[in-house]
Amino acid sequence: MTAAPPKWITPFFYCSVLAALFAVTLVFLRHDTDRPDIGTHEVADITINLDGQPVREHCTTCHIDGARPDPAHLSQTVKPHPDIAPHRIDQLGCTGCHLGEGMALDIEISHGLPGLEARKVLSGKEMQASCFRRHQPGPLPGAEKAWKGYQQFFAKACNTCHAISRVGQSGFYGPDLSRIGAVVGLDQIHLAIREPRKEPVNSKMPRFPLSKNHSRQISYFLKSLAGDSFYATPMQMQTGMAETTEIDLRPQGVELSDGESALYQKQCLACHQFGQVDGRIGPDLTYIGSQRDADYLYAFLDNPTRLIPGVAMPRIPMASAAEKKLVQFLLNDAVGPVAEHTQTSADVMTPQKQESSSMGAKQLYMRLCQRCHAAEGDGRGPIQPNLANFPRAFAGNADFFRSASDKRLQESVRNGIPGTSMPSYNKLLNQQQIDPLLNLVFTAFINLDRHDKAILSALPDSPETPVSQNRSNELYVENCQRCHGSFGTGTGPEYLEHQPRPRNLRNKPYFNALSDRRIARVIHDGIPGTAMPAFRDHLDGPDFWGLVEKVREFSRSQD
């Protein structure tokens, strides 16, 4: 016997139907009231040809003659669209300039969907973000800011890292920007330029020293890079994609040698400093010819990351003849000396000259050191965020300098530190200049007597029989992997929590310059001023040397 249905089913069904009908009625009424009351005025939609199919652009349903919509008296009170000759609205439609979704009937969709706002309606000065989609970039009335943004884009060497098909650029160090305007809104582009490391936080793109106005100008140009838009407009189909060409970045009215011209044309000065020109992103090249030799310069231009793993500088495509002229110019013209005011070996150290020497050391520090190590000595100099390695902090780091021998510090200044941006100052500074500079660092920042050194505990002896490779791997996973990563690149799960970042163990130039005992000392005592802890109380002798061999294994496998 079949059970009778519950008595509440039938009333519930009728109530549900009535609720659904009521909801549909509300939606219909709301949709209807959202539309302007255009009365008996003729609807002025535009029919366009999209992929061979006639499609109506509905913008002019509300915007009669391109005017602002007025729900009450649209045709009587609103001024018509200004003259845009030689353009014609009836031929090009509205979305070619204003974006939006011209075929949509819903007001929210037609004005551009939320999210990345790729199709958000542009108005006012923002409209110049569409001009260079179909116009050759150049001085153009109404697109003055977009033109300045185009010039800034090349002057700041953005095209070196980012591919742009319209100018034949094939940079692959950053995202392809050939269609950025078709997928991201104007505000999002502007934010990415202003705060490049907001997302992702480990982005290599530096924050260029641009004013808000300049970054906005670049965003106008980038918004015009739409490739073949998914939503084609009549303008796009009639005119095709505008081509662009690179601009001359050399200063006008100044005679330059071929090598110096390359500094400008290869956009080196967008990041680096040379003389009075300063991109404020990368190291100073003013004296690079005295700090690096020819072999280093050629090798660095050929593959920057081989000499400084993790360096932000991309490889700059350059013909061999142009590369040779650039290197020869740097070797011959980008040289010192820089400190004529400092003491020479023949000077007698009178009290007056001691004071003069101290002043000279301060000037030397500000000229040669503060760019990386900061005027406050905390390692957070103007270009620190763009360097592969965090510059050594002086201020508040007395424990490190108490454990580092004076000989090691002097050699770091004279010979530089391989695998990092710290160059050699051996040709720029003599011993009578290096000593006052080191004294200044200790007195001004470290607040420690330069010769006050800690007595280091003895390292465990190297075992006659090394630990097995399996044991070395286990030790590394247990103690090191969370910071230095599975492959030793310094990008473990916790690496973003630390500043300075963990060392890249695959930095072959850096570790080739270190002895096994120096590496063991770091594992044994840690590195004050960093997140590297001391393991002397956690590992026995053979395990220390097992980890040393693991570090050597990583550094040998840089390629």
Side-chain angles (χ1 to χ4, degrees):
M1 181 176 176
T2 304
K7 295 181 179 180
W8 57 267
I9 284 291
T10 301
F12 177 77
F13 173 76
Y14 285 116
C15 289
S16 299
V17 171
L18 289 173
L21 290 174
F22 181 71
V24 170
T25 302
L26 284 179
V27 171
F28 176 78
L29 290 175
R30 181 180 181 276
H31 181 76
D32 190 60
T33 55
D34 279 344
R35 287 173 170 272
D37 180 13
I38 60 175
T40 58
H41 195 288
E42 181 180 355
V43 176
D45 285 6
I46 300 173
T47 301
I48 62 175
N49 187 305
L50 183 61
D51 249 357
Q53 298 295 323
V55 177
R56 298 182 72 81
E57 186 177 271
H58 295 288
C59 298
T60 51
T61 301
C62 299
H63 298 268
I64 304 300
D65 293 328
R68 289 180 178 273
D70 186 329
H73 305 92
L74 183 66
S75 60
Q76 288 81 15
T77 62
V78 180
K79 295 180 180 180
H81 195 288
D83 182 25
I84 57 172
H87 300 310
R88 289 177 53 182
I89 297 176
D90 61 322
Q91 289 183 344
L92 302 180
C94 305
T95 56
C97 295
H98 294 277
L99 301 186
E101 304 295 347
M103 285 77 77
L105 289 170
D106 183 275
I107 189 170
E108 292 182 358
I109 296 178
S110 63
H111 285 186
L113 291 170
L116 296 180
E117 299 183 348
R119 299 288 295 177
K120 182 180 179 180
V121 168
L122 302 177
S123 62
K125 293 182 179 180
E126 292 182 345
M127 282 178 53
Q128 58 188 293
S130 296
C131 294
F132 291 153
R133 292 191 178 201
R134 293 297 166 260
H135 285 284
Q136 191 81 11
L140 185 68
E144 292 82 4
K145 291 192 174 184
W147 168 236
K148 289 181 180 178
Y150 174 83
Q151 294 172 303
Q152 286 277 347
F153 183 84
F154 287 98
K156 296 302 180 183
C158 306
N159 61 309
T160 301
C161 292
H162 297 282
I164 305 177
S165 58
R166 287 167 61 178
V167 293
Q169 294 293 329
S170 57
F172 55 86
Y173 294 92
D176 189 331
L177 300 182
S178 301
R179 297 189 65 256
I180 187 68
V183 295
V184 180
L186 188 63
D187 290 338
Q188 284 77 7
I189 295 174
H190 186 217
L191 179 62
I193 297 171
R194 293 283 293 172
E195 301 292 341
R197 298 185 179 178
K198 188 170 184 179
E199 185 181 352
V201 294
N202 60 333
S203 169
K204 277 192 173 184
M205 178 173 164
R207 189 183 190 278
F208 281 84
L210 292 164
S211 67
K212 190 174 182 178
N213 187 43
H214 284 166
S215 57
R216 191 69 174 178
Q217 291 169 356
I218 295 177
S219 69
Y220 287 144
F221 165 63
L222 291 179
K223 184 60 182 172
S224 72
L225 301 178
D228 295 323
S229 252
F230 181 77
Y231 296 100
T233 66
M235 182 187 295
Q236 291 170 330
M237 292 185 290
Q238 286 184 25
T239 62
M241 176 66 71
E243 294 295 327
T244 61
T245 55
E246 292 188 54
I247 59 177
D248 190 349
L249 300 173
R250 294 172 296 183
Q252 301 302 309
V254 180
E255 186 175 348
L256 304 175
S257 67
D258 290 343
E260 193 171 4
S261 293
L263 276 180
Y264 289 92
Q265 286 301 92
K266 293 301 177 182
Q267 301 162 305
C268 306
L269 301 184
C271 294
H272 295 281
Q273 179 178 3
F274 183 77
Q276 300 303 310
V277 182
D278 189 358
R280 294 186 287 171
I281 296 293
D284 188 352
L285 302 182
T286 305
Y287 308 114
I288 195 69
S290 295
Q291 297 172 303
R292 307 290 193 184
D293 59 25
D295 290 341
Y296 186 97
L297 293 177
Y298 279 117
F300 191 79
L301 289 172
D302 181 63
N303 190 346
T305 58
R306 187 177 295 278
L307 294 180
I308 305 180
V311 68
M313 178 173 162
R315 183 181 183 277
I316 309 298
M318 197 180 311
S320 58
E323 183 181 67
K324 184 176 181 179
K325 290 177 180 178
L326 174 59
V327 171
Q328 290 303 314
F329 169 77
L330 295 176
L331 292 174
N332 296 328
D333 292 69
V335 294
V338 299
E340 295 85 354
H341 56 274
T342 56
Q343 169 197 6
T344 65
S345 57
D347 285 336
V348 178
M349 288 301 291
T350 64
Q352 294 78 9
K353 286 192 175 181
Q354 286 180 350
E355 181 179 356
S356 174
S357 175
S358 176
M359 289 297 293
K362 292 179 182 179
Q363 293 174 5
L364 276 178
Y365 181 87
M366 293 303 295
R367 183 66 188 89
L368 300 175
C369 311
Q370 67 85 27
R371 191 176 183 87
C372 297
H373 295 279
E376 297 81 7
D378 59 5
R380 300 179 182 274
I383 69 169
Q384 172 269 314
N386 311 316
L387 299 176
N389 304 98
F390 194 98
R392 183 72 64 192
F394 305 139
N397 203 6
D399 288 342
F400 173 84
F401 287 93
R402 188 177 283 112
S403 64
S405 70
D406 195 63
K407 178 182 178 182
R408 171 184 167 186
L409 299 179
Q410 292 193 49
E411 288 181 349
S412 295
V413 177
R414 282 199 296 263
N415 304 324
I417 302 177
T420 76
S421 296
M422 175 70 179
S424 165
Y425 288 94
N426 193 41
K427 293 182 179 179
L428 280 177
L429 304 175
N430 57 36
Q431 191 62 42
Q432 285 70 39
Q433 295 165 333
I434 292 176
D435 277 332
L437 185 59
L438 284 174
N439 288 337
L440 172 72
V441 169
F442 273 85
T443 56
F445 304 124
I446 303 172
N447 196 24
L448 181 73
D449 185 279
R450 179 176 161 186
H451 301 290
D452 180 4
K453 299 298 180 183
I455 298 176
L456 304 179
S457 58
L459 291 174
D461 294 331
S462 177
E464 295 183 3
T465 303
V467 300
S468 67
Q469 187 175 23
N470 286 340
R471 176 58 180 163
S472 295
N473 292 339
E474 291 174 0
L475 289 167
Y476 180 82
V477 170
E478 180 181 347
N479 298 287
C480 316
Q481 182 174 296
R482 62 182 178 272
C483 291
H484 294 280
S486 299
F487 302 99
T489 55
T491 55
E494 299 178 7
Y495 89 106
L496 288 176
E497 299 176 13
H498 306 300
Q499 187 70 283
R501 302 285 189 234
R503 179 74 65 184
N504 179 0
L505 304 181
R506 301 178 83 92
N507 190 332
K508 190 172 185 177
Y510 177 82
F511 284 99
N512 277 355
L514 301 184
S515 67
D516 286 352
R517 293 192 66 81
R518 172 84 174 273
I519 297 173
R521 174 62 67 186
V522 169
I523 299 171
H524 188 267
D525 295 339
I527 305 178
T530 76
M532 178 68 186
F535 287 93
R536 55 177 170 260
D537 298 328
H538 305 285
L539 300 175
D540 59 20
D543 287 347
F544 276 111
W545 296 100
L547 284 177
V548 170
E549 180 53 35
K550 185 63 181 177
V551 171
R552 289 293 188 204
E553 179 187 331
F554 279 129
S555 66
R556 286 193 295 265
S557 61
Q558 179 196 29
D559 295 342

